Amino acid sequence: MGLQGFEQRLERLVEGVFAKTFRSGLKPVEVGRRLTRDMDLHRTLGVNGPLAPNHFSVALSPADSEQFESFSEVLTRELAEAARDHARAEGYGFVGPVHVELQVDDSLAQGQFLVASGFQEAPGGAAVGSIYLEDGRRVEIGEAPLSIGRMPECDVALSDPNV
């Protein structure tokens, strides 16, 4: 715990210096990297394998929050998808669905941000898979059965006559 606290303080110090030196603003990829790193730092061993945090709060400076405002819903969805992809690659499970929220912290300067993660139990966290359809939609594969077929009432309706 002491080493982890030291690393976090050192990380904030270094990133604070870079944020002040290079005032180009925060990039979404930086948030994604920090989010996955936070998953790795706070993972724990569950009964059926490693569990990762599934709830993330990202504190942004007012300037960065304003920069992300026009696409904040897309950004939170993409950050959640990046977390699921990372979990899939590392073999992590979740105790509930992945949720990312953006918050404004007036004490942060442009380019600075904080990520807090935690475990939030809820139904639907067991699977970390999804199906991408041709029309761009993504269908989550969860604990409930998923019906796939030609009928319009199916969860995934396919138009191929060979199905």
Side-chain angles (χ1 to χ4, degrees):
M1 199 68 158
L3 182 59
Q4 184 177 355
F6 172 74
E7 287 176 346
Q8 288 175 343
R9 285 192 302 277
L10 184 61
E11 181 178 285
R12 279 193 215 120
L13 176 68
V14 170
E15 289 177 352
V17 168
F18 282 114
K20 290 175 186 169
T21 306
F22 306 105
R23 294 189 184 271
S24 63
L26 183 62
K27 304 291 184 240
V29 69
E30 296 173 79
V31 179
R33 283 188 197 130
R34 176 88 59 84
L35 194 136
T36 57
R37 189 168 59 228
D38 209 63
M39 287 176 71
D40 293 336
L41 286 172
H42 295 103
R43 71 182 184 269
T44 188
L45 191 57
V47 175
N48 295 319
L51 294 173
N54 63 317
H55 187 266
F56 302 92
S57 295
V58 180
L60 302 169
S61 71
D64 291 322
S65 178
E66 186 178 317
Q67 173 189 341
F68 295 154
E69 190 174 335
S70 64
F71 61 98
S72 63
E73 286 184 34
V74 172
L75 178 59
T76 56
R77 275 196 314 269
E78 286 187 2
L79 288 170
E81 183 61 30
R84 284 189 288 272
D85 287 344
H86 183 69
R88 199 174 300 114
E90 296 295 324
Y92 299 157
F94 296 117
V95 295
V98 177
H99 178 71
V100 178
E101 62 183 356
L102 303 177
Q103 301 171 339
V104 179
D105 186 338
D106 293 328
S107 68
L108 296 173
Q110 184 176 9
Q112 293 180 321
F113 67 102
L114 300 171
V115 174
S117 64
F119 293 87
Q120 194 169 55
E121 186 177 3
V128 292
S130 57
I131 298 174
Y132 287 97
L133 304 176
E134 287 181 356
D135 62 2
R137 289 185 301 137
R138 183 172 56 89
V139 179
E140 300 271 339
I141 300 174
E143 296 170 351
L146 184 69
S147 62
I148 301 174
R150 288 186 294 180
M151 303 289 284
E153 55 269 4
C154 291
D155 295 315
V156 178
L158 302 173
S159 61
D160 189 338
N162 295 321
V163 174

